[in-house]
């Protein structure tokens, strides 16, 4: 070979054969040289993978010489591997087998198609020979499973592949039977899983023996937890090999029966008979034969004796594994529809969650403290897996959960109240989150109270750190006091505008139960995420009870978390235990929840503080937080500059004529119980109206005034459009319009009255609205369109009759409740004024007019 | 492939056209449906309530691949409007008595039946997250139901009203109800015989806007971005009414919030649909013709002649590119294995709780691709780690194997030497003996 034969650069194909040859020459062991350093192999693998030395695809454009050298280098690579495999030394065989596995993964399709049969035979003989060392067997298993995985990607070799796969099953089963070491089992189980997913037919004939082999191992225990998980996974995959509904159900039932047996033993004397009986009744339906126990009938005796021998600890760990098997059955894909015993599974979950280790009165004499201790030590694990099972059920059933959703919510809320371990709480938060997102608004209405109460309890630790609170009234972490909605606090919260005030005040009026311990960050993150989900799903629907509390809580948490981030050492001191969640996660979760809270209401109360937080977060370059904050700023921009006119423009119809007419009609139509005759009080008037009205009165000559002028033009224009009639009719028409305007005004006044009355009930809201009187570009959709009407009315009244304004409110209410006649009586007066108003509008006339009509003419009234 | 399906109140079957090419597809036989009486169940089946059996109420199912009626069910009373959730797992029907029935499609079980209105239910629609159901009735009420609460037996016993909201502002029969996007902040638009359309806020439960039209609105459909909605009126016009437009410019002299209209109908517009994929507005008319409009220009793009009688329903369904190939091959495979793949007929009455033990669930089996994972390269690095660890089980095992091998070789060598020695010995003795003899 010419020493100075250069190639272009590192992307040149010519590099590949040269590099491969070098690897073969220098890094691979050969038949006669001893295999000194196994770590060389890792270099080989990484070189092969990064330069994809084996996977070149030969294209026409390549130089034929190059093609030849590619081919020859690959051939010599494979030859060397095969040579190694047939060597006598185990480590060389191991190297050869493993590298052949890598070759199966990496080589180009053409080459794989060409020579996979040879490779398969080689690997199979390695698997079958009884005298092999563990290492070689494990490697052979891995390589053969890689080969089969690759093979399953070629549809044309489906038949051939199945035929080869069948040959693997027996040796693997034999190997599992003879050998008991974890490594071999792991490799064997991996092969079986590959067979089930890639060539399901191959395993069908051996279904029972595979099941029994795995079940025996699983029940007898005695291997690592990871291994057990894999076994459970394999067991859950097994029905796929048959792929029919029946085998799935049977597998599920077998597992559940086993769980039931073990739970009966474990929970003896700890649980109520009723739920156990319910479970048993559902497990084996009356008149039906229970399936043979898990594992084959032949081996029934053996595991059952094993079960008795084993200690209680392993029994509960077994239950948890079996339950994770159930989860996998539910979450793995399956080719056909299956009948999931949802009710039964839910009863199982409930049954486990209801046991808290307390002894019922009657079983006190039958249980020693030691026994109780044993059970209690294992209970958290059991609870954890039953919650996981619950999550799997929810995930699997999706929308079909509906008939069962209510019962789930019921026991979740029950469990939420008692659950105190943070791991379990995190899990239950995540379940609540899944439920909220998947079941939507309806679920949120039910779950909101529980989620909010618990989240506030878990997040309340901030309160303590602010130093504003004394430790005097510590309550237990598990007890959640109901939140008093004190109006004083609310008022405080709404007037608080700045960070400083918040600092001094020790929170924005969030009344939360104090805890002596700081909830772990991961728990707080979970609580925040669940709140976020709640707000996302139903932040605006019937959320009055909790909305303001949550809003202020979130801004506090967000501010606090950003501050926490700056002093991360401090965090590390007392959060040593936590490996999963860090302060950064908390920041992210807090800001995410904050964004959701901003977006779900038309007019977020803490927008300015929030914007500041997002701006600060964005500066933390290179973090997830910065990415998110950039996104948040973009999203909020739409909130600040709404791109369309808000929709709300409705003034309740109180044109008496209209309502009377139709009310009569309706009475004829159907008789029904009206809470109020006109349906007027049922629908709250949009609350922006009154504020706008007040705002307008407060500063009449700013841009509101300008707006009003334009509206006046509108009024004129519309009235002109609506009245192209001769004068007699004109007057009639106008009088009608005036009637309407007056009544509108009445409503305005009346709602003002309502507001003042309700202010004592609910001052927080109204104060919030009045908080920024100067800013007229409010983001409340209730306001802007209303403005047209409100302004006009006011002005009309001003110009027209001072008496209207001079009237006290009581009189107006009276006026409103009067019938049409009263409105008519003032018609003449009003009419004149209205005409004047129109003239006025005329004089300031302008030609183009971007604003909509504002007088809501009602052609339907007759 | 977006297809448009139309049914009529006279028995002309269900017409089916490809929106893109305009080609007529299968025509599903024997269907005469009332308004809002045609739904697709998760784009696998069609369901329609039937008019032509005045005495016995009936509901028909078609599978998308066959023109014949696959399943006929006969509910306890006449059902007119139907609605299905997006996945097609539940079917709700509104009865003449004002009751609403909720069936599980897969099993045909009647899961729930409740008294919703005093008069007949006229239209039903699911919210976009499928958790709320909105019903309109002849008595003018529009009611919002949370399905979740309906199934909560304990709570429903406690509370007087099952509904979340009851909107009473319409004075006459509600003709159509639609709901927009936006979860709990969505808007509901309802049309009524009282010549108004009303826009409601779901989050606040209040009336946002009431729009008075010159004539009765039979059907409404929302623009996907919810800038406007289209209202098909009984005088043949389709009005455009403003929801969230930036500028409201009243072109015609119709009244507030109506920003335009277009028409090519001689007779009343009876139903409307919107194809989101292609931005087309589809209208059905009393004269039996389905017209497809470009939603931007308001020009007619296509016309399909369907029936002699008025069109009562139009739905747009997205079908797989080649329905005979992909989905149905799976279905056929399933059918071969497990007998016929048919939906059971809907139950008349709610059964005992016995049957709700199991739920037939599709565990995503049709999802084709699976994650391919290769193991051996990981295994190599694991093993290398183990081998490098002096004294680890693997290393010692390999060492042992090596030693065994060595031992074997040495033994062989020793044997060889031994044999050589013996040979030599023999040779020596032979020589000696031979020497002695001579």
């Amino acid at each position: 070979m010419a020493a100075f034969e250069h190639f272009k650069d590192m992307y040149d194909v010519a590099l590949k054969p040269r590099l491969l040859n070098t690897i073969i020459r220098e890094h691979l062991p050969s038949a006669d040289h001893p295999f000194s350093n196994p770590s060389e192999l890792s270099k080989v693998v990484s070189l092969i993978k990064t330069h994809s030395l084996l996977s070149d695809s030969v294209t026409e454009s390549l130089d034929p010489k190059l093609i030849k050298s590619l081919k020859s280098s690959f051939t010599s690579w494979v030859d060397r591997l095969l040579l190694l495999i047939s060597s006598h030394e185990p480590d060389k065989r191991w190297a050869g087998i493993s590298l052949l596995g890598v070759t199966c993964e990496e080589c180009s399709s053409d080459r794989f198609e060409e020579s996979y049969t040879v490779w398969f035979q080689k690997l199979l003989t390695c698997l079958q020979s009884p005298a092999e060392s563990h290492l070689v067997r494990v490697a052979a298993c891995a390589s053969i499973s890689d080969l089969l995985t690759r093979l399953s990607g070629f549809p044309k070799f489906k038949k051939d592949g199945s035929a080869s796969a069948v040959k693997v099953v027996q040796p693997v089963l034999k190997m599992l039977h003879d050998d008991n070491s974890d490594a071999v089992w792991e490799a064997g189980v991996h092969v079986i899983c590959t067979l089930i997913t890639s060539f399901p037919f191959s395993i069908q004939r051996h279904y029972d023996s595979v099941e029994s082999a795995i079940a025996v191992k699983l029940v007898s225990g005695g291997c690592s937890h990871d291994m057990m998980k894999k076994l459970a996974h394999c067991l859950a995959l097994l029905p796929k090999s048959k792929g029919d509904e029946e085998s799935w159900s049977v597998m599920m039932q077998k597992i559940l029966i086993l769980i039931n047996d073990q739970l009966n033993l474990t929970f003896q004397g700890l649980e109520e008979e009723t739920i156990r009986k319910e479970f048993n009744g559902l497990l084996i339906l009356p008149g039906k034969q229970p399936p043979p126990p898990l594992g084959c009938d032949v081996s029934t005796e053996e595991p059952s004796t094993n079960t008795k021998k084993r200690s209680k600890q392993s029994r509960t760990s077994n239950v948890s594994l079996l339950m994770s098997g159930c989860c996998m059955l539910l979450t793995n894909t399956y080719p056909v529809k299956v009948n999931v015993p949802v009710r039964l599974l839910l009863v199982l979950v409930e049954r486990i969650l209801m046991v808290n280790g307390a002894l019922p009165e009657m079983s006190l004499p039958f249980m020693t403290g030691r026994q109780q201790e044993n059970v209690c030590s294992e209970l958290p694990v059991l609870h954890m897996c039953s919650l996981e099972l619950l999550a799997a059920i929810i995930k699997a059933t999706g929308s079909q959960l509906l008939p069962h959703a209510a019962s789930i919510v019921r026991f979740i809320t029950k469990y939420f109240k008692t659950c105190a371990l943070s791991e379990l709480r995190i899990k239950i938060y995540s379940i609540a989150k899944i439920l909220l997102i998947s079941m939507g608004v309806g679920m949120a209405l039910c779950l909101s109270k529980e989620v909010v109460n618990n989240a506030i309890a878990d997040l309340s630790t901030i309160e303590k750190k602010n130093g504003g609170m004394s430790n005097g009234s510590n309550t237990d972490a598990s007890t959640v006091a109901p939140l008093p909605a004190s109006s004083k606090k609310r008022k405080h919260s709404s007037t608080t505008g700045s960070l400083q005030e918040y600092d001094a005040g020790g929170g924005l009026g969030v009344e939360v139960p104090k805890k002596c311990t700081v909830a772990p960050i991961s728990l707080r993150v979970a609580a925040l995420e669940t709140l976020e989900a709640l707000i996302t799903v139903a932040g605006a629907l019937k959320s009055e009870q909790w909305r303001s509390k949550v809003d202020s809580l979130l801004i506090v948490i967000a501010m606090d978390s950003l501050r926490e981030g700056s002093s991360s050492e401090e965090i590390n001191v007392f959060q040593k235990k936590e490996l999963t969640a860090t302060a950064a996660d908390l920041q992210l979760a807090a800001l995410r929840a904050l964004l959701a809270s901003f977006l779900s209401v038309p007019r977020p109360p803490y927008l300015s503080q929030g914007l500041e937080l997002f701006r600060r977060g964005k500066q933390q370059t290179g973090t997830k937080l910065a990415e998110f904050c950039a996104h948040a700023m973009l999203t909020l921009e739409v909130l600040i500059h709404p791109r369309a006119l808000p929709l709300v423009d409705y003034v309740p119809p109180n044109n008496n004529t209209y309502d009377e007419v139709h009310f009569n009609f309706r009475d004829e139509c159907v008789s029904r119980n009206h809470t109020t005759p006109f349906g007027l009080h049922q629908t709250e008037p949009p609350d922006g109206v009154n504020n706008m009205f007040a705002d307008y009165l407060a500063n009449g000559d700013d841009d509101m005034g300008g707006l009003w002028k334009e509206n006046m033009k509108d009024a004129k224009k519309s009235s002109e459009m609506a009245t192209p009639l001769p004068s007699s009719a004109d007057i009639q028409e106008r009088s009608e319009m005036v009637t309407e305007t007056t009544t509108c005004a009445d409503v305005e006044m009346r709602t003002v009255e309502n507001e003042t009355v309700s202010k004592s009930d609910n001052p927080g809201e109204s104060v919030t609205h009045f908080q920024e009187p100067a800013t007229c570009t409010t983001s409340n959709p209730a306001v802007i369109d209303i403005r047209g009407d409100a302004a006009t009315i006011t002005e009309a009244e001003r110009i027209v009759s001072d008496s209207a304004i001079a009237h006290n409110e009581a009189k107006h209410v009276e006026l409103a409740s009067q019938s049409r006649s009263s409105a008519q009586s003032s018609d003449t007066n009003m009419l004149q004024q209205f005409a004047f108003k129109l003239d006025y509008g005329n004089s300031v006339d302008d030609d183009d007019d971007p604003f909509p009509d504002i007088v809501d003419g009602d052609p339907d009234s007759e | 492939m977006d297809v448009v399906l139309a049914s009529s109140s006279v028995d002309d079957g269900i017409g089916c056209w490809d929106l893109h090419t305009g080609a007529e597809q299968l025509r599903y036989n024997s269907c005469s449906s009332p308004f809002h009486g045609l739904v697709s169940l998760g784009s696998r089946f069609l369901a329609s309530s039937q008019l032509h059996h005045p005495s016995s109420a009936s509901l028909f199912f078609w599978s998308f691949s066959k023109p014949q009626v696959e399943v006929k069910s006969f509910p306890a009373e006449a059902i007119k409007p139907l609605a299905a959730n997006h996945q097609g797992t539940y079917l709700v029907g509104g009865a003449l008595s004002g009751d609403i029935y909720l069936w599980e499609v897969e099993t045909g079980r009647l899961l729930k039946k409740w008294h919703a209105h005093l008069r007949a239910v006229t239209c039903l629609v699911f919210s976009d997250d499928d958790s709320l159901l909105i019903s309109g009735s002849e008595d003018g009420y529009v009611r919002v139901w949370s399905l979740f609460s309906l199934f909560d037996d304990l709570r429903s016993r406690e509370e007087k009203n099952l509904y979340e909201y009851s909107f009473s502002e319409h004075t006459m029969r509600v003709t159509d109800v639609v709901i927009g996007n936006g979860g709990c902040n969505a808007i509901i638009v309802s049309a009524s015989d009282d010549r108004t359309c009303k826009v409601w806020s779901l989050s606040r439960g209040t009336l946002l806007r009431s729009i008075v039209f010159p004539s009765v609105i039979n059907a409404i459909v929302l623009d996907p971005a919810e800038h406007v909605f289209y209202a098909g009126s009984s005088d043949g016009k389709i009005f455009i009414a403003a929801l969230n437009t930036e500028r409201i410019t009243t072109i015609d002299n119709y009244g507030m919030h109506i920003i335009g209209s277009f028409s090519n109908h001689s007779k009343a517009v009876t139903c409307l649909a919107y194809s989101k994929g292609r931005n087309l507005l589809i209208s059905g008319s009393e004269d039996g013709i389905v017209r497809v409009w470009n939603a931007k220009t308001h020009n007619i793009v296509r016309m399909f002649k369907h029936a002699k009688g008025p069109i009562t329903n139009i739905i747009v369904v997205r079908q797989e590119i080649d329905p005979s190939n992909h989905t149905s091959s799976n279905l056929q495979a399933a059918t071969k294995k497990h007998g016929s793949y048919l939906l059971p007929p809907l139950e008349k009455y709610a059964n005992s709780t016995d049957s709700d033990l199991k739920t037939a669930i599709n565990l995503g089996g049709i999802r084709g691709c699976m994650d391919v994972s290769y193991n051996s390269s990981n295994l190599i690095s694991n093993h290398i780690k183990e081998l490098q660890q002096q004294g680890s089980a693997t290393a010692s095992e390999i060492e042992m194997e090596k030693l065994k091998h060595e031992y074997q070789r040495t033994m062989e060598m020793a044997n060889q030497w031994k044999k050589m020695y013996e040979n030599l010995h023999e040779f020596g003795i032979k020589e000696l003996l031979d020497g002695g003899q001579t």
Side-chain angles (χ1 to χ4, degrees), chain A residues 282-425:
Chain A
L282 287 167
L283 185 60
I284 296 160
L285 295 174
K288 286 202 179 158
Q289 203 66 27
L294 192 65
C296 204
D297 317 59
V298 191
S299 57
T300 325
E301 293 309 311
E302 198 189 340
S304 64
T305 47
N306 273 351
T307 322
K308 274 166 200 154
K309 276 181 212 152
R310 273 176 307 105
S311 65
K312 276 186 180 156
Q313 272 80 2
S314 62
R315 191 187 299 146
T316 47
S317 74
N318 241 323
V319 172
S320 70
L321 281 166
L322 290 170
M323 286 179 73
S324 75
C326 285
C327 292
M328 288 184 235
L329 268 178
L330 286 170
T331 47
N332 288 341
T333 60
Y334 203 72
V336 295
K337 285 203 171 186
V338 290
N339 283 324
V340 179
V342 180
R343 182 93 212 98
L344 174 65
L345 291 170
L346 287 177
V347 172
L348 173 64
V349 171
E350 195 177 358
R351 177 181 175 189
I352 295 176
L353 290 186
M354 285 305 120
V355 174
N356 62 357
L359 289 175
E361 198 69 20
M362 50 174 284
S363 61
L364 277 179
F366 303 110
M367 193 170 235
T368 63
R370 173 76 187 155
Q371 277 172 310
Q372 194 185 7
E373 186 187 320
N374 275 339
V375 172
C376 287
S377 69
E378 293 294 328
L379 267 179
V381 178
L382 282 180
H383 281 198
M384 194 61 169
C385 25
S386 47
L387 288 176
E388 259 156 27
L389 180 59
L390 180 60
I393 297 169
I394 296 169
K395 205 178 143 198
T397 49
S399 68
Q400 286 169 285
L401 189 65
L402 195 56
H404 308 281
S407 71
I408 293 180
V409 167
R410 207 162 299 121
F411 72 70
I412 273 191
T413 45
K414 214 197 269 174
Y415 189 68
F416 229 144
K417 287 202 176 76
T418 57
C419 167
L421 294 173
S422 64
E423 287 291 305
L424 295 176
R425 284 185 77 83

Side-chain angles (χ1 to χ4, degrees), chain A residues 35 37-39 41-42 45 49 88-91 94 98-99 101-102 105 133-135 138-139 142-143 146 149-150 190 197 242-245 248 282 285 329-330 332-343 396-397 399-406 409-410 439-443 445-446 537-542 600 643-650 662 665-666 669-672 679 682-684 687 721 782 785 850 852-853 855-856 858-860, chain B residues 44 85 87 89-90 102 104 106 109 111 118-119 129 131-132 138-141 146-149 151-155 163-165 168-172 183-185 187 194-196 198-200 202-210 212 227 242-250 253 255-257 334 337-338 341 356-367 370 372-377 379-381 383-384 386-388 394 397-398 401-402 405:
Chain A
F35 184 27
N37 189 6
S39 63
L41 277 195
S42 67
V45 172
K49 287 202 159 177
H88 289 293
E89 283 152 82
D91 49 353
W94 164 75
S98 307
L99 287 177
V102 176
E105 180 187 344
S133 71
H134 283 170
L135 199 63
V138 170
S143 293
D146 280 2
T149 310
R150 182 76 194 264
H190 184 82
T197 47
K242 281 191 179 166
D244 56 347
E245 200 282 318
W248 192 95
L282 287 167
L285 295 174
L329 268 178
L330 286 170
N332 288 341
T333 60
Y334 203 72
V336 295
K337 285 203 171 186
V338 290
N339 283 324
V340 179
V342 180
R343 182 93 212 98
T397 49
S399 68
Q400 286 169 285
L401 189 65
L402 195 56
H404 308 281
V409 167
R410 207 162 299 121
M439 309 278 305
V441 180
M443 173 62 82
L445 290 176
C446 281
V537 173
L541 183 64
K542 298 195 172 174
S600 66
R643 290 176 189 162
L645 289 177
L647 190 58
V648 188
D649 66 351
Y650 193 69
H662 285 278
F665 168 75
R666 235 189 222 183
C669 224
V670 256
S671 63
R672 56 190 182 195
Q682 283 171 321
T683 57
E684 297 254 292
D687 43 10
M721 282 198 316
D785 246 348
D853 302 339
V855 176
D856 202 346
D858 209 336
D860 204 29
Chain B
R44 289 182 303 141
N85 65 345
Q87 289 188 339
T89 43
Y90 298 112
L102 192 150
E104 188 177 61
E106 198 59 48
R109 281 187 295 138
L111 293 181
L118 290 173
R119 297 275 300 268
D129 66 352
S131 71
L132 300 178
E138 275 186 7
D139 58 16
Y141 278 93
S146 156
L147 290 182
F148 176 81
S149 315
F151 276 98
D152 194 347
D153 293 328
L154 286 188
R155 218 186 71 150
Y163 52 77
E164 301 296 324
Y165 294 120
S168 60
E169 275 83 345
H170 278 302
T171 52
M172 291 171 77
C184 62
N185 275 318
I187 53 164
D194 63 11
R195 288 199 281 160
T196 63
K198 295 190 194 286
V199 184
W200 315 88
L202 181 61
S203 61
R204 294 191 293 174
T206 53
L207 181 57
L208 295 178
R209 179 173 288 182
S210 177
V212 182
H227 291 311
L243 289 173
N244 258 336
T245 43
E246 300 183 10
R247 281 281 152 87
I248 300 170
T249 42
T250 305
N253 201 357
M256 200 149 136
H257 299 303
K337 248 188 205 167
H338 315 288
Y341 189 78
D356 76 358
L357 298 174
K358 302 217 169 179
T359 315
I361 285 164
N362 194 352
L363 291 176
I366 299 169
R367 228 181 300 157
M370 57 183 164
V372 182
S373 69
Y374 292 98
N375 202 17
S376 40
S377 43
L379 202 72
I380 289 181
S381 54
H383 280 168
I384 288 169
E386 279 186 44
L387 286 176
Q388 278 172 333
T394 326
E397 195 194 326
I398 287 291
E401 288 280 328
K402 268 189 190 168
H405 192 70

Side-chain angles (χ1 to χ4, degrees), chain A residues 17 93 229 363 402 439 447 459 479 571 696 703 727 733 813:
Chain A
R93 275 209 301 279
K229 276 245 145 151
S363 61
L402 195 56
M439 309 278 305
L447 216 52
L459 294 169
T479 58
I571 297 290
Y696 177 72
D703 52 345
S727 61
E733 186 85 20
V813 176

Side-chain angles (χ1 to χ4, degrees), chain A residues 122-143:
Chain A
K122 274 276 178 196
L123 291 173
L124 193 63
T125 42
C126 292
L127 199 65
Q128 278 167 328
S129 71
E132 286 292 1
S133 71
H134 283 170
L135 199 63
V136 176
R137 281 177 168 212
V138 170
C141 282
S143 293

Side-chain angles (χ1 to χ4, degrees), chain A residues 180 185 212-223 228 231 258 262 302-307 309-311 314-315 317-318:
Chain A
N180 222 16
W185 264 88
S212 79
I214 294 171
V216 168
K217 182 83 176 171
L218 189 65
V219 174
S220 64
C223 48
M228 298 287 259
L231 287 172
L258 206 55
Q262 308 205 342
E302 198 189 340
S304 64
T305 47
N306 273 351
T307 322
K309 276 181 212 152
R310 273 176 307 105
S311 65
S314 62
R315 191 187 299 146
S317 74
N318 241 323

Side-chain angles (χ1 to χ4, degrees), chain A residues 492-688:
Chain A
H492 172 67
S493 81
S494 52
T495 46
T496 313
S498 69
L499 261 165
Q500 283 71 32
E501 245 179 306
Y502 141 70
D503 276 339
L508 289 160
V510 199
E511 186 93 10
V512 282
K514 270 73 69 182
K515 303 207 293 182
C516 40
T517 51
V518 177
I521 287 188
S522 50
L523 177 56
R524 282 191 273 162
V525 169
L528 283 169
E529 282 173 351
T530 313
L531 273 186
E532 185 196 346
L534 176 67
I535 295 169
T536 311
V537 173
L541 183 64
K542 298 195 172 174
S543 59
E544 303 80 16
Q545 291 179 349
W546 49 270
R547 193 61 225 220
S548 59
K549 269 182 284 185
V550 168
D551 279 346
S552 48
L553 176 73
L554 285 179
I555 187 79
V556 171
I557 303 270
M559 286 184 190
D560 210 75
S561 73
L562 275 190
R563 197 167 320 129
E564 249 174 72
S566 58
S567 58
S568 53
E569 308 90 359
E570 191 188 39
I571 297 290
N572 290 338
V573 173
F574 63 91
Q575 306 284 352
K576 261 182 287 183
K577 254 170 62 189
E578 262 150 38
L579 301 166
T580 47
T582 59
D585 296 330
L586 184 65
Q587 288 175 348
L588 191 58
L591 289 186
R592 286 176 66 102
L594 189 67
L595 179 65
S597 97
F598 283 173
L599 291 178
S600 66
V601 280
R603 199 173 167 185
Y606 307 109
L607 185 59
S608 57
Q609 293 100 311
L611 281 173
E612 177 56 28
L613 288 180
F614 288 127
R615 207 165 288 132
R616 256 168 49 203
K618 205 175 153 190
Q619 286 159 4
Q620 301 197 359
T621 316
T623 58
K624 271 241 177 325
L625 188 72
E627 277 172 40
F628 173 74
C629 286
H631 166 72
M633 302 282 268
L634 173 70
T635 324
L636 286 174
E637 189 269 329
V638 183
L639 192 68
I640 297 163
H641 310 122
R643 290 176 189 162
L645 289 177
L647 190 58
V648 188
D649 66 351
Y650 193 69
V651 179
N654 60 329
N655 189 335
N656 288 334
T657 58
Y658 174 85
D659 258 353
E660 264 169 14
V661 167
H662 285 278
F663 183 56
N664 290 338
F665 168 75
R666 235 189 222 183
D667 263 356
E668 287 163 16
C669 224
V670 256
S671 63
R672 56 190 182 195
N673 49 345
H674 267 283
T675 44
T676 55
F678 300 110
L680 201 68
H681 295 283
Q682 283 171 321
T683 57
E684 297 254 292
D687 43 10

Side-chain angles (χ1 to χ4, degrees), chain A residues 125-194:
Chain A
T125 42
C126 292
L127 199 65
Q128 278 167 328
S129 71
E132 286 292 1
S133 71
H134 283 170
L135 199 63
V136 176
R137 281 177 168 212
V138 170
C141 282
S143 293
I144 225 165
S145 103
D146 280 2
L147 190 145
L148 291 172
T149 310
R150 182 76 194 264
L151 192 58
S152 68
F154 296 90
K156 57 180 167 179
F157 293 132
K158 195 136 194 149
K159 217 168 213 173
D160 214 12
S162 289
S164 321
V166 171
K167 292 181 201 152
V168 180
V169 185
Q170 275 295 356
V172 170
L173 279 178
K174 188 165 176 298
M175 191 179 83
L176 293 183
H177 194 258
D178 296 342
D179 209 317
N180 222 16
S181 84
D182 264 17
V184 170
W185 264 88
E186 193 173 336
V189 167
H190 184 82
V191 175
I192 290 176
C193 289
T194 310

